[in-house]
Amino acid sequence: MSDTEFLLLVRGPLFTLATVILVGGVLIRIAEILFMGRKKSLAEARGSEASGGFRVMLSRSVPDADTFHRSGFTIISGYVFHIGLFVVIFLFVPHILVFERAIGLSWPGLPSNIIDATTVITLIAMLTLLIHRIVDPVRRMLSGFQDYWVWLVTALPLITGYFAFHRVGVSGAWMLAVHILSVELLMITFPFTSLSHAFTLWMSRWYNGAVSGYRGIR
Amino acid sequence: MSSEGLQRGYAILKEQIDAPTASYLSSCVNCGMCAEACLFFTETGDPRYTPIHKVEPLKKVWRHEYTFWGRLSKALGLSKPVTDEELAAWSPLVYDGCSMCGRCSVVCPVGNDITYMIRKVREGLAAAGHAPEGLVAATRRAITVGSPMGVKLPALQAQIRHVEQDTGLSVPVDVENADYMLLLSSMEIMNFPEFIAAVTRIFDRTEVSWTISSEAFEATNSGIQIGVSDLAAELVQRVVTAAEKLNVKYVISPECGHAYMAIRWEGPNLIGRPYGFRVVHILELLDELREQGRLKLQGKETDRLTYHDPCQIGRRGGILEQPRNLLRAISDDLVELPGGGMMNWCCGAGGGVSSNERADEIRLRAFNRKKSQLDQIQVDGLVSACSNCRIHIEEGLEHNHIDLPVLSLTELIEKHLAD
Amino acid sequence: MKPGLTVGETLRAHGVTRRGFLKYCAAITSLMALPPSSLKAVAAALEAARRPSVIWLSFQECTGCTESLTRSADATIEELIFNAISLDYHHTLQAASGAAAEAAREQAMHENYGNYLLIVDGSIPIADAGYSTIAGISNRDMLLETAAGAAAIVSVGTCAAFGGIPAARPNPTGAVPVSELITDKPIINVPGCPPIPVVITGVLVQYLTFGLPDLDAQGRPLAFYGQSIHDRCYRRPFYDKGLFADSFDDEGAKKGWCLYKLGCRGPTTYNACATAKWNNGTSFPIESGHPCLGCSEPDFWDTGSFYHALSTPTEAIGEAAVYAAGGGLLIGAAVGAVHQRHKRKAIESHRKVSLDDIDEGAAK
């Protein structure tokens, strides 16, 4: 298979397949969760579920002082890597064009060299988190195959993207194809692993916040 | 025998899983931040006390029973189900190494209410016969005698007689159509009868119409702590029956953390219907009376004081402002514990830990957190609103040879009643 | 023209000055990215090189490659270099025709067997021999026969190198590149549709002076195809700054911003356009406001619309996502309902937990 054929395969049928698995998978997972149901509390309410739910959906992004003091490393690295991912995925013009093709929406991007630097910073943050996961007793005990797998499938698009951008000693088409393939791996992994936190997190924060809201806890 | 227990526990765990649980278990990325929020981890350094790790059996059941891949691999015989040994191994983690304080639930960055899930794990473990002996015994006494400490009506009546002698006031018992029906924890009856005296004086001065029921005076609920909803419901039902029989408008939850959680938030869901009365916490009522001007206070404390929020009343119960309002009325030198309020650290004895002898050692280790906090703020007295917190803090201070008075907020307020 | 002469002798015979020759050598040297110090060596080697016998075979092609080489306004140095080889067979350029033309090919093969250079443009149809024949000989047979005695083969143009447009889907003639039929001879691919004239002659110079050049994975001389259009593009700073033309007539297009969004294949295309340029160094496509089509890459005709950005999916993703969403909801609801029933059953078969139940384990 020539590099061009490889690129065509990943831009064509494989990307469609990955999109179908991603979109279908996310909805299957959400339905699976919602169908488990939740009993409405019979206790007299002191506040509203909605106010607490919405509040926690937002407020939980900001750690309290003590938590920041105790888990500063995880929080900073986590923030850097999540913001980095967001910037790289959504603000790189060639990526925006993918969204434009898929959903018809477009927005301004950032200069490529900023994306480039962000990629490196994001990877460094991810690497520190990986080392922490391996070295720290708590993280090591909690982590299983899935945790390392999702780390890998998140890091791969960054690494291959970096090389696709710089194309050092490799064919541009081949590297771009490998990059898109790694993204497809991420897309099909996403709904069925802990990567799903990207969407279930909002449900979790809602449920947690709804209970505090109902009890009037502020 | 154990296989029958396992079956029972497994069935209960299956019933427990709901949409929030499924969402929480889907969201966890094993970041480990909950460990840093848990005093059983921070004070022991043992990773097994990481809160999310404590829900592992529930997670397995969820995967097995309620996820597409889990059911598929179960059907193909690819995944191993939860074993009885596993449930047994988790008993020390969820009963000895967790006070249900809920701190992890407000720290988790993805928003998981981990405490909510540990509560469910306890349901499964208890049904499988893996609850600690001390809690089982307490629950047995609560069900058969009516109090986890075995306090019977005559004991209460004796204390009431003392209170009446001390105060010169009468303590109303079984008064129909009273506005308020007061519940008491066994600890208040046996260790802190001053609380009953304080309430009697305050209600007399503020002209609150109240009563105690001779049929259901116990506020605590061992069923909640051990995690057996069927038994917890039975205990709640006794209070509900008594309150509805006396036709009171309100039931007062006393200075006890989990008792408030049991009667206020879990109760109606346990018995499956709303109450015919409302539930207030004693601090809510006192602050309301103060606001209405019925509770008049005089004089200020000269000591530097701090307030320890009982987890189930504060962080999990929503009563954070009222105690501070009351304390500010009688003290100008009130300092907060680090994280005081929403992020307050648990004393280490809640959630049934204090009834569980197996946890005696770890309970005192967990207290080191409160001790170092107290070292930091240097106060002359610690005020709280939970007998269980107070007893444990007193014990911890004594263990560490620290002399610091531990006070009841209600009793402190009573000392400042205006003439 | 006798094959015995050196390149230098031939050029002088054609009136090329020393100055003009060195100028050409300097151009080639820089194009091959060699240090200026090697200019003398290149000039000396080229001057002394024996004029090789060259056979040029044209198969399924459009003559664009030959045009590219010969259709300049004036006689260029490149053209003269081309004269410096002994082009013994090229059916577009040679005067002879019919049997005489084929005889010239056979004579050249015979006289220089094992030493002549074979240049091919056009792809070879293998679905049916009758699709393309010369003097009654199928392209395939002629290639096999001529290649047998060649020292090396230069596949000029994308058709000869990769199959090109004849091989584009659905490839009705079964067109294949030279490399698919010949595996026992060194093959130098000089793709492009057409290739840049100076690159064609540059490859020949390189071959004459240094022998077989270093090739990339696609068989292209690294000296000319080592860098992508994108890396040498004068619009690259706009790409780095995130400034793109959104259409062919917007402000960005007028300001000369990057054409990535308009489908430019620069990042995946390896050629010397951005440095050697076209029409005697006048410009190259991007300079005239059109994205690179990637013509020097395999299958460039089949990479979806030329005007869709390289990073975008080629299929209707939005539509697929809508169907996937519908399907996901249906499956999710079905799976969810199964879970729900499962849970309801668990709740219905609930047996009250008694004191004795919980005591069982505690006794242990």
Side-chain angles (χ1 to χ4, degrees):
Chain A
M1 183 164 48
S2 76
D3 292 351
T4 321
E5 279 172 327
F6 179 30
L7 179 58
L8 271 178
L9 179 70
V10 299
R11 282 177 68 195
L14 289 189
F15 196 86
T16 307
L17 184 68
T19 307
V20 166
I21 293 175
L22 173 73
V23 174
V26 167
L27 286 163
I28 290 173
R29 292 286 287 106
I30 291 176
E32 225 179 13
I33 292 168
L34 292 179
F35 268 79
M36 290 307 296
R38 179 171 74 120
K39 271 197 197 143
K40 188 159 169 27
S41 179
L42 298 168
E44 184 200 352
R46 193 195 273 141
S48 88
E49 288 200 336
S51 72
F54 285 124
R55 183 172 45 80
V56 170
M57 277 169 94
L58 297 176
S59 70
R60 200 51 68 82
S61 298
V62 186
D64 64 279
D66 181 67
T67 302
F68 188 79
H69 176 70
R70 292 177 172 276
S71 308
F73 171 79
T74 307
I75 293 166
I76 291 171
S77 287
Y79 251 99
V80 167
F81 126 73
H82 276 93
I83 293 172
L85 270 187
F86 178 86
V87 167
V88 170
I89 294 173
F90 294 105
L91 298 179
F92 184 44
V93 172
H95 296 167
I96 297 172
L97 296 177
V98 178
F99 293 104
E100 194 180 2
R101 278 276 282 165
I103 55 174
L105 287 176
S106 182
W107 51 87
L110 282 177
S112 308
N113 36 26
I114 292 181
I115 301 293
D116 200 32
T118 309
T119 306
V120 175
I121 294 167
T122 307
L123 273 169
I124 292 171
M126 283 188 70
L127 206 61
T128 62
L129 284 168
L130 179 67
I131 293 169
H132 193 214
R133 193 174 276 292
I134 295 168
V135 172
D136 178 75
V138 169
R139 277 80 184 170
R140 192 172 54 228
M141 180 202 66
L142 292 177
S143 304
F145 171 77
Q146 205 197 81
D147 297 277
Y148 296 106
W149 172 252
V150 301
W151 186 92
L152 185 71
V153 298
T154 310
L156 276 180
L158 287 165
I159 296 167
T160 58
Y162 185 81
F163 282 109
F165 183 76
H166 291 283
R167 298 178 312 284
V168 196
V170 286
S171 140
W174 185 80
M175 204 62 236
L176 179 62
V178 170
H179 172 59
I180 296 175
L181 189 67
S182 72
V183 172
E184 285 157 4
L185 186 65
L186 175 69
M187 287 162 77
I188 62 170
T189 300
F190 185 84
F192 308 108
T193 57
S194 57
L195 290 175
S196 64
H197 76 277
F199 56 92
T200 58
L201 158 151
W202 306 106
M203 297 160 75
S204 296
R205 287 183 178 183
W206 168 269
Y207 286 135
N208 190 342
V211 171
S212 354
Y214 194 81
R215 293 181 187 168
I217 306 168
R218 262 181 301 272
Chain B
M1 178 190 73
S2 66
S3 83
E4 199 186 303
L6 173 67
Q7 266 178 24
R8 208 162 41 226
Y10 196 89
I12 294 285
L13 287 172
K14 257 168 82 176
E15 288 176 44
Q16 294 289 318
I17 294 162
D18 55 3
T21 309
S23 174
Y24 298 153
L25 294 171
S26 300
S27 301
C28 180
V29 291
N30 289 330
C31 74
M33 274 169 65
C34 52
E36 313 288 344
C38 174
L39 80 172
F40 290 93
F41 169 76
T42 62
E43 302 316 299
T44 64
D46 187 342
R48 291 179 311 137
Y49 291 119
T50 303
I52 196 68
H53 182 60
K54 295 169 190 164
V55 308
E56 202 57 29
L58 187 73
K59 186 170 192 167
K60 271 200 169 175
V61 174
W62 165 68
R63 278 234 180 93
H64 239 240
E65 301 291 337
Y66 299 120
T67 67
F68 177 74
W69 297 115
R71 293 196 68 171
L72 190 70
S73 62
K74 182 185 164 195
L76 297 172
L78 290 174
S79 64
K80 280 173 265 165
V82 174
T83 63
D84 199 49
E85 289 69 36
E86 244 173 310
L87 294 186
W90 252 258
S91 174
L93 304 186
V94 300
Y95 284 110
D96 310 8
C98 174
S99 58
M100 309 288 290
C101 81
R103 213 169 174 276
C104 52
S105 295
V106 292
V107 161
C108 175
V110 295
N112 288 352
D113 192 344
I114 304 173
T115 317
Y116 177 84
M117 292 193 279
I118 295 178
R119 167 81 179 79
K120 292 178 182 299
V121 175
R122 284 189 176 187
E123 290 276 340
L125 258 58
H130 294 302
E133 224 172 314
L135 263 176
V136 171
T139 309
R140 185 176 284 282
R141 282 190 296 271
I143 294 288
T144 53
V145 181
S147 143
M149 294 170 68
V151 178
K152 292 183 183 171
L153 183 62
L156 174 64
Q157 285 166 334
Q159 294 289 27
I160 286 175
R161 275 195 299 278
H162 286 295
V163 168
E164 287 180 332
Q165 277 166 19
D166 289 350
T167 59
L169 300 164
S170 77
V171 174
V173 176
D174 292 334
V175 177
E176 277 185 46
N177 301 320
D179 288 345
Y180 295 90
M181 178 179 114
L182 179 70
L183 299 177
L184 294 164
S185 74
S186 294
M187 284 186 197
E188 280 156 341
I189 299 168
M190 301 312 290
N191 304 44
F192 303 118
E194 304 85 348
F195 175 80
I196 308 172
V199 171
T200 306
R201 287 205 183 91
I202 294 171
F203 286 173
D204 173 66
R205 198 68 56 88
T206 52
E207 291 171 348
V208 165
S209 123
W210 69 294
T211 184
I212 293 176
S213 163
S214 63
E215 284 168 18
F217 52 85
E218 180 59 56
T220 65
N221 190 321
S222 302
I224 296 275
Q225 296 188 317
I226 197 167
V228 180
S229 289
D230 291 333
L231 299 178
E234 197 178 325
L235 298 174
V236 169
Q237 189 57 55
R238 291 178 188 170
V239 174
V240 173
T241 306
E244 288 176 354
K245 190 171 143 198
L246 291 178
N247 196 30
V248 295
K249 294 193 185 80
Y250 298 89
V251 165
I252 303 170
S253 184
E255 290 196 348
C256 173
H258 87 273
Y260 180 64
M261 173 60 63
I263 196 72
R264 175 69 176 90
W265 300 116
E266 286 210 25
N269 301 307
L270 288 168
I271 64 168
R273 68 169 175 89
Y275 301 146
F277 52 88
R278 299 175 72 185
V279 176
V280 289
H281 190 263
I282 183 74
L283 297 185
E284 278 181 292
L285 176 58
L286 293 181
D287 193 44
E288 194 190 310
L289 293 171
R290 182 194 59 81
E291 234 171 42
Q292 291 168 349
R294 287 166 69 187
L295 175 62
K296 292 190 183 65
L297 298 168
Q298 67 176 22
K300 297 274 186 177
E301 285 290 310
T302 47
D303 286 349
R304 185 177 160 88
L305 296 176
T306 190
Y307 178 69
H308 166 81
D309 289 274
C311 306
Q312 307 304 317
I313 294 171
R315 179 165 45 242
R316 307 279 293 171
I319 300 173
L320 292 158
E321 272 309 302
Q322 294 87 336
R324 288 169 175 78
N325 294 342
L326 291 165
L327 274 167
R328 272 193 292 267
I330 56 160
S331 165
D332 287 331
D333 196 5
L334 183 68
V335 279
E336 286 287 358
L337 282 156
M342 198 57 186
M343 299 305 296
N344 188 38
W345 287 92
C346 175
C347 65
V353 173
S354 59
S355 317
N356 172 10
E357 295 88 350
R358 203 171 65 184
D360 280 351
E361 197 205 322
I362 194 170
R363 178 165 57 90
L364 282 169
R365 277 181 84 178
F367 179 75
N368 286 337
R369 174 120 310 272
K370 193 64 19 186
K371 176 185 167 285
S372 66
Q373 283 197 302
L374 288 169
D375 288 344
Q376 240 177 298
I377 56 167
Q378 294 292 333
V379 286
D380 307 318
L382 180 141
V383 186
S384 194
C386 169
S387 309
N388 191 50
C389 292
R390 282 167 63 206
I391 288 183
H392 174 62
I393 291 173
E394 277 176 350
E395 192 188 329
L397 291 170
E398 200 180 301
H399 182 78
N400 288 287
H401 312 292
I402 299 168
D403 189 24
L404 181 76
V406 180
L407 311 160
S408 145
L409 180 50
T410 307
E411 290 169 34
L412 196 62
I413 290 295
E414 182 261 336
K415 281 198 338 195
H416 289 273
L417 276 177
D419 301 324
Chain C
M1 273 173 280
K2 280 181 255 165
L5 297 174
T6 64
V7 172
E9 286 161 354
T10 318
L11 289 175
R12 272 191 294 281
H14 279 85
V16 174
T17 62
R18 177 80 188 152
R19 185 188 174 82
F21 175 68
L22 284 176
K23 200 176 143 194
Y24 174 73
C25 288
I28 293 287
T29 309
S30 89
L31 196 55
M32 289 194 287
L34 292 170
S37 57
S38 55
L39 169 59
K40 262 189 187 164
V42 171
L46 183 57
E47 171 125 32
R50 293 275 150 199
R51 293 176 68 231
S53 168
V54 173
I55 296 173
W56 183 307
L57 299 178
S58 299
F59 299 135
Q60 290 193 132
E61 45 86 43
C62 65
T63 318
C65 297
T66 302
E67 291 277 338
S68 167
L69 204 57
T70 58
R71 274 287 179 146
S72 10
D74 335 287
T76 60
I77 297 279
E78 291 99 304
E79 201 179 342
L80 287 172
I81 284 289
F82 214 66
N83 288 332
I85 58 171
S86 175
L87 188 55
D88 294 325
Y89 178 86
H90 185 307
H91 64 220
T92 310
L93 298 180
Q94 71 195 139
S97 64
E102 291 314 300
R105 180 174 65 89
E106 274 158 29
Q107 192 193 342
M109 281 172 62
H110 183 71
E111 279 173 12
N112 303 293
Y113 199 81
N115 297 316
Y116 60 84
L117 185 65
L118 173 61
I119 300 180
V120 180
D121 69 331
S123 60
I124 303 97
I126 58 169
D128 187 322
Y131 280 134
S132 178
T133 61
I134 298 163
I137 306 168
S138 74
N139 288 174
R140 180 200 184 115
D141 290 349
M142 185 177 280
L143 175 66
L144 293 177
E145 186 194 337
T146 317
I153 302 171
V154 180
S155 293
V156 166
T158 302
C159 299
F162 306 130
I165 294 173
R169 281 189 297 227
N171 192 1
T173 66
V176 295
V178 173
S179 56
E180 198 137 309
L181 297 172
I182 311 293
T183 49
D184 58 349
K185 296 282 172 185
I187 299 175
I188 306 166
N189 284 336
V190 187
C193 194
I196 307 167
V198 73
V199 168
I200 303 177
T201 58
V203 169
L204 293 178
V205 168
Q206 203 181 12
Y207 176 69
L208 291 179
T209 53
F210 300 111
L212 285 168
D214 289 339
L215 306 175
D216 71 3
Q218 314 277 7
R220 302 176 290 202
L222 279 167
F224 303 101
Y225 294 88
Q227 282 175 310
S228 70
I229 302 295
H230 186 61
D231 286 337
R232 302 306 299 265
C233 183
Y234 76 106
R235 296 195 188 203
R236 175 65 186 265
F238 295 113
Y239 174 86
D240 289 337
K241 283 185 202 134
L243 298 172
F244 298 90
D246 286 312
S247 73
F248 284 104
D249 57 356
D250 70 353
E251 261 321 286
K254 282 172 194 154
K255 284 180 177 158
W257 289 353
C258 177
L259 301 169
Y260 187 92
K261 287 186 173 180
L262 297 172
C264 186
R265 298 289 190 265
T268 55
T269 304
Y270 290 76
N271 206 339
C273 300
T275 43
K277 303 197 178 175
W278 292 79
N279 303 319
N280 294 328
T282 306
S283 66
F284 72 113
I286 292 172
E287 233 172 324
S288 55
H290 194 281
C292 170
L293 300 181
C295 74
S296 60
E297 294 298 317
D299 307 318
F300 81 100
W301 205 260
D302 287 327
T303 54
S305 166
F306 285 138
Y307 303 103
H308 283 158
L310 201 55
S311 61
T312 59
T314 54
E315 297 180 354
I317 288 304
E319 213 172 294
V322 170
Y323 286 120
L329 280 178
L330 276 175
I331 299 171
V335 173
V338 171
H339 293 338
Q340 211 173 39
R341 220 187 54 177
H342 196 55
K343 182 181 171 183
R344 200 181 310 128
K345 266 199 234 158
I347 292 173
E348 277 163 8
S349 57
H350 175 85
R351 196 175 61 79
K352 273 204 167 173
V353 179
S354 69
L355 272 176
D356 290 338
D357 290 337
I358 62 173
D359 220 350
E360 209 169 39
K364 278 192 293 197

